[in-house]
Every structure is written in structure tokens, then in C-alpha cells.
């Protein structure tokens, strides 16, 4: 069991979250560039980086345990399903009210999970009014989008770092035994 799990960690989990973290950093950079120099090319670049992050998340999202399950990171990354459109309404309200806390990555991380992840950023970049990002007509929308991108980058980076800690979750998972609080034997771990 330990060999199988260690191969899964080294061959899939760590690379998946490292890739997500890398793409999330590029998305944050693209959003900051867009906010500094609004243009259609900048908006197209931010949308392309967003798509790359969504692709990277699609690889990693199957790993729904361990560090991603802590601190509501999974829900903060993507609040889904949103059957009652709670997230959409909260994002639209933040945009309409120009909530200054939502445009600050540190404060955004304390708000509703529906306002701070990929679903929220999708609306910012592709929803009603998104075309204003190509001009300087809506600096708040861009700042909020940059805050979301920064939040996604922080989550991805924290999860990637947690999977790489020598004494972290990966070590617990790969070393089941009577002294292990999470996995008592190989069958549990597998």
C-alpha cells in the first residue's frame, strides 16, 4: 500500500497541484496586467490564462481529500454546484456595490466561498458587462477579478506546499500504521 500511495503522490497528486499553482500564478499576472493596461488583447490573455487554470483544476479536482479539504479550500476554489445561484447573486452584488473588501485578496478570502473562486472569476471575465474589462470603464471589476485570481493562486500554492511537506498529509497517507491517526492499515489508506 505504501508503494502504491507514494507513486500516486509523486506521480499524480504533487504534479497536479504544482501545475495548478503555476497556472494560477500566471492568471494573477495576467489579471494585474489587464488592470494596469486595459485592452482587448489583455482581456483575451486573461481569459486564456483562466482557461488554463480551469484545465489544471480539472486534473487536480479529483483529489478531494488531504490539504484541499482543509479550511474550505475545495469550496473556495470552486463553489459547485450552485443550485440556487447564490454565488452568482453575491458576485453581481459585489460588482454592483463595488465592495472594497471583495477587491482585496486577503479580505476576499474571509468572504463567502461563492465569491472567491473559479465560478466568480468566470462571471467577472465572461459574464454580463465583462467586455468593459477591455477598456478603463470598470476598474472595480478588474480589481475584483485580480483579487479572485490572487485568492485562487494562494489556495493552489498552499495546497501544493502542503502536499510537499515531509511531515504532512502525504506522509500520513503513505505510512499507515497503528500510530497513524488517519490510516491504521494499508487497506484504509488505499
Amino acid at each position: 500500500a505504501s508503494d502504491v500511495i507514494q507513486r500516486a503522490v509523486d506521480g499524480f497528486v504533487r504534479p497536479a497541484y504544482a501545475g495548478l499553482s503555476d497556472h494560477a500564478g500566471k492568471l494573477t499576472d495576467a489579471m494585474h496586467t489587464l488592470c494596469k493596461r486595459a485592452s482587448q488583447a489583455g482581456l483575451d490573455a486573461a481569459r486564456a490564462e483562466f482557461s488554463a487554470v480551469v484545465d489544471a483544476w480539472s486534473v487536480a479536482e479529483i483529489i478531494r481529500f488531504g490539504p484541499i479539504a482543509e479550511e474550505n479550500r475545495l469550496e473556495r476554489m470552486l463553489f459547485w454546484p450552485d443550485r440556487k445561484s447564490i454565488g452568482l447573486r453575491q458576485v453581481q452584488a459585489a460588482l454592483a456595490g463595488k465592495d472594497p473588501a471583495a477587491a482585496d485578496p486577503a479580505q476576499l478570502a474571509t468572504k463567502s466561498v461563492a465569491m472567491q473562486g473559479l465560478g466568480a472569476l468566470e462571471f467577472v471575465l465572461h459574464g454580463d458587462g465583462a467586455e468593459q474589462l477591455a477598456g478603463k470603464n470598470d476598474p472595480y471589476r478588474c480589481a475584483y477579478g485580480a483579487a479572485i485570481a490572487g485568492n485562487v493562486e494562494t489556495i493552489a500554492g498552499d495546497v501544493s506546499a502542503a502536499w510537499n511537506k515531509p511531515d504532512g498529509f502525504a506522509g500520513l497517507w503513505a505510512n499507515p500504521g497503528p500510530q497513524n491517526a488517519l490510516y491504521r492499515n494499508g487497506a484504509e489508506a488505499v
Side-chain angles (χ1 to χ4, degrees):
S2 293
D3 291 341
V4 169
I5 292 166
Q6 195 61 54
R7 284 196 309 269
V9 168
D10 292 337
F12 179 70
V13 176
R14 286 179 175 153
Y17 277 109
L20 178 62
S21 181
D22 180 55
H23 285 292
K26 292 175 184 175
L27 172 60
T28 301
D29 292 344
M31 286 302 301
H32 285 295
T33 298
L34 175 62
C35 293
K36 287 179 189 167
R37 292 181 300 280
S39 68
Q40 187 60 49
L43 178 56
D44 292 344
R47 286 174 170 169
E49 292 300 340
F50 173 76
S51 292
V53 168
V54 170
D55 287 345
W57 173 244
S58 296
V59 172
E61 76 176 322
I62 193 171
I63 308 154
R64 294 178 167 262
F65 59 95
I68 193 70
E70 298 168 1
E71 300 174 20
N72 291 326
R73 289 179 180 134
L74 181 65
E75 294 81 9
R76 289 172 53 215
M77 182 66 76
L78 180 62
F79 180 69
W80 184 260
D82 186 7
R83 292 180 180 94
K84 297 180 182 179
S85 297
I86 293 168
L88 177 60
R89 288 195 306 267
Q90 289 176 349
V91 170
Q92 288 172 327
L95 290 170
K98 300 194 183 324
D99 177 3
D104 174 5
Q107 291 183 54
L108 178 62
T110 66
K111 291 192 159 288
S112 164
V113 296
M115 294 181 63
Q116 54 180 292
L118 296 174
L121 189 52
E122 179 181 29
F123 185 80
V124 169
L125 289 171
H126 296 282
D128 293 340
E131 64 282 349
Q132 295 178 10
L133 290 169
K136 297 213 181 251
N137 302 341
D138 196 352
Y140 177 81
R141 186 181 194 114
C142 201
Y144 176 41
I148 296 168
N151 188 58
V152 167
E153 179 183 12
T154 298
I155 294 167
D158 289 350
V159 172
S160 182
W163 274 105
N164 285 303
K165 286 171 79 174
D167 60 343
F169 181 82
L172 287 172
W173 189 31
N175 296 296
Q179 306 306 320
N180 187 322
L182 296 176
Y183 300 103
R184 296 292 183 180
N185 58 54
E188 284 183 6
V190 169

